Amino acid sequence: MSSPAEPHAASTALHRQPISAELRQWIVEQARAGIAPDAVLHAMEAAGWAEDVALHAMETTLADHLSGTMRESDGPIEGKAADDLPPALLVPDPFGIEQALYLDAGDRRVPVLAALHKPRIVVFGNFLSDAECEALIAAARPRLARSLTVAVDTGGEELNADRTSEGMFFERGANALIGQIEARIATLLKWPVENGEGLQVLRYPPRAEYKPHYDYFDPQQAGTPVVLKRGGQRVATLIIYLNEPEQGGGTVFPDVHFEVGPKRGNAVFFSYDRPHPSTQSLHGGAPVVRGEKWIATKWLRERRFD
């Protein structure tokens, strides 16, 4: 049995022992190895984790990442994967020990405006300032081109009639503003900067939309293995609203009848722990009725994206 990652050296209070992606991955590895829960808990306490933090980490990790992969009769650890479901993946989680009204984003506190557990959808307020939104639009505007989607047959890119926006990508760390936003995302979502794709900025003119779709890469498509070579699967999405159209343009989640209004500076996060419709992560950009909509999208991968 390996040892868990230790909590931050000077940290004993609950709110100072964040449950990192590394700890969650370790817990999953112990479960897959058949280690008894009591032994896992004891190892965490020996490494310096508070008992209630360790219990919470075990409960939420196993619930989030092993749900759907075992039958109740199999017990809490040694379950068998359902035939029609891919294995669950580790995903970003903006919450630590408990749900909170405000979350730390490094250089600011971000209010939580709404949250769903299944699917995991979280709406954040004041993620970007008005000045940051304007600066991002100004930097992106000269480089806009018709948006493309991943070509499922080849792993390349192609035009898609379902997506009628214009867009462009910034490379990671392209400038000071991009670096600041990426650091804020990494802190808020507890996910490494290097596991993120470049920030994409999109403009939706009147009548433009993006019909409901999934952001993960379909394992059944021929081009998926090519795409997965760069960082593995997508596991989460953050959409940031850079302006406010006069009417329309919300982000819709048809499976759960949920819509997020495009309020400038706000953002919506959602994760999907396996490339399968059971995640209920189907979403789309509703048509812009009047005005135009600008958003920035960040896709997060399993591993480092190069």
Side-chain angles (χ1 to χ4, degrees):
M1 179 178 180
S2 60
S3 298
E6 295 183 359
H8 298 298
S11 302
T12 56
L14 289 183
H15 68 281
R16 294 184 178 178
Q17 288 189 318
I19 301 171
S20 65
E22 291 79 7
L23 179 63
R24 290 182 181 273
Q25 183 62 47
W26 178 84
I27 292 171
V28 171
E29 290 171 355
Q30 305 317 301
R32 288 172 176 167
I35 306 299
D38 287 348
V40 176
L41 180 62
H42 179 74
M44 292 178 65
E45 291 177 331
W49 292 91
E51 181 181 7
D52 49 357
V53 177
L55 281 169
H56 178 81
M58 287 180 57
E59 290 173 356
T60 58
T61 299
L62 294 177
D64 290 347
H65 306 303
L66 298 180
S67 61
T69 67
M70 55 190 173
R71 299 187 300 266
E72 183 177 352
S73 59
D74 291 323
I77 288 181
E78 299 177 351
K80 297 180 180 180
D83 292 339
D84 59 342
L85 291 179
L89 305 171
L90 192 68
V91 298
D93 184 1
F95 297 105
I97 304 306
E98 59 187 12
Q99 193 117 337
L101 179 59
Y102 289 88
L103 295 177
D104 176 32
D107 59 353
R108 65 175 57 199
R109 289 204 313 158
V110 174
V112 176
L113 304 183
L116 296 179
H117 180 73
K118 180 65 177 177
R120 169 52 90 199
I121 303 173
V122 185
V123 182
F124 301 112
N126 194 33
F127 183 77
L128 293 184
S129 68
D130 287 353
E132 289 171 328
C133 291
E134 289 294 341
L136 204 51
I137 290 173
R141 190 185 295 273
R143 298 169 53 187
L144 294 178
R146 172 70 186 271
S147 297
L148 303 175
T149 60
V150 174
V152 295
D153 293 333
T154 65
E157 295 181 317
E158 63 183 1
L159 288 173
N160 188 323
D162 290 344
R163 191 180 198 188
T164 51
S165 60
E166 301 174 322
M168 56 79 62
F169 277 94
F170 288 103
E171 292 186 4
R172 275 203 317 262
N175 55 46
L177 175 61
I178 298 300
Q180 182 178 22
I181 294 172
E182 289 173 336
R184 193 176 298 166
I185 292 172
T187 301
L188 178 65
L189 301 182
K190 303 178 179 65
W191 206 250
V193 169
E194 59 268 22
N195 288 23
E197 298 182 26
L199 192 69
Q200 184 185 43
V201 175
L202 297 166
R203 172 185 174 269
Y204 289 81
R207 296 180 298 281
E209 64 178 321
Y210 195 177
K211 294 181 180 179
H213 60 282
Y214 298 101
D215 281 352
Y216 56 72
F217 304 113
D218 187 347
Q220 303 303 316
Q221 297 297 333
T224 294
V226 175
V227 179
L228 297 185
K229 290 180 179 179
R230 301 180 66 194
Q233 267 290 358
R234 285 176 176 167
V235 292
T237 303
L238 183 74
I239 299 173
I240 310 165
Y241 303 105
L242 305 180
N243 82 321
E244 298 174 14
E246 295 177 47
Q247 185 178 353
T251 303
V252 297
F253 295 85
D255 287 346
V256 289
H257 308 289
F258 187 67
E259 180 171 351
V260 181
K263 170 69 175 174
R264 171 185 260 185
N266 288 3
V268 58
F269 162 84
F270 53 99
S271 61
Y272 25 97
D273 64 355
R274 66 187 82 229
H276 192 272
S278 63
T279 59
Q280 297 181 299
S281 60
L282 184 71
H283 65 286
V288 175
V289 179
R290 289 203 305 268
E292 63 179 13
K293 179 179 74 171
W294 287 79
I295 63 171
T297 301
K298 187 72 166 181
W299 287 294
L300 303 179
R301 298 286 193 107
E302 289 180 83
R303 304 183 295 275
R304 181 183 181 91
F305 177 80
D306 293 315

